[in-house]
Amino acid sequence: MPAGHAFTDDFSLDEEPEQLLRRLLHASDHFGEMGYAIESHSPTGLVLVRRFVPAAVYRVPLGIAVAVFLLGALVDGTDPVAAGRIAGIMVLLAIVISIAVRATERVTITFTAADDGTDVLVSGQATPALRGYIESFAAVTAVTP
């Protein structure tokens, strides 16, 4: 799964921080569909976390496996059986590494009470799906000037 990108957004909503927190906690199923879980929450905000396998974990060993396999098949004087074994070892290495290596991304959503509702600051590493969800969430409930 690809890594998210740095993301910062701020907006104002016309509801109290407690109401906003309740709505976001009820949206945990939507966060789960995008690979996120609520790591912690308080009256002033919440933290979403996503654990995933970085794409490089697969790409590097599999790329080496393909190169070694092709080298063994195409270059004269190279033992294709040995090249096949090395390629197989690299595929197994990719599988083992993908089990052990995980990256973690966090998105922090902070609430600040304002006269007309709540000011919200969102920051962290977010996938396009989560960014879109937060932006649509903000657009639907934003304070109208």
Side-chain angles (χ1 to χ4, degrees):
M1 180 175 279
H5 301 286
F7 172 63
T8 301
D9 194 8
D10 60 335
F11 50 90
S12 295
L13 302 177
D14 61 356
E15 59 187 308
E16 297 299 315
E18 297 83 21
Q19 294 171 315
L20 179 59
L21 178 62
R22 264 186 258 122
R23 281 199 318 124
L24 286 171
L25 290 174
H26 285 7
S28 63
D29 289 344
H30 295 294
F31 297 136
E33 292 169 2
M34 293 177 271
Y36 288 87
I38 296 175
E39 182 177 56
S40 64
H41 64 85
S42 71
T44 60
L46 59 94
V47 177
L48 301 174
V49 66
R50 178 176 79 103
R51 292 181 46 88
F52 65 98
V53 178
V57 167
Y58 296 113
R59 288 184 184 148
V60 172
L62 293 178
I64 293 171
V66 168
V68 168
F69 182 76
L70 291 176
L71 181 68
L74 301 176
V75 176
D76 289 337
T78 305
D79 182 9
V81 173
R85 285 185 184 139
I86 292 171
I89 290 170
M90 294 310 292
V91 170
L92 288 174
L93 180 64
I95 293 168
V96 169
I97 290 174
S98 70
I99 292 169
V101 175
R102 299 270 188 241
T104 302
E105 294 180 339
R106 285 183 174 74
V107 176
T108 303
I109 304 173
T110 307
F111 315 133
T112 305
D115 293 336
D116 56 351
T118 303
D119 292 330
V120 181
L121 175 65
V122 182
S123 62
Q125 296 285 110
T127 61
L130 182 64
R131 289 174 62 176
Y133 182 77
I134 290 172
E135 288 168 358
S136 67
F137 187 86
V140 170
T141 58
V143 173
T144 54

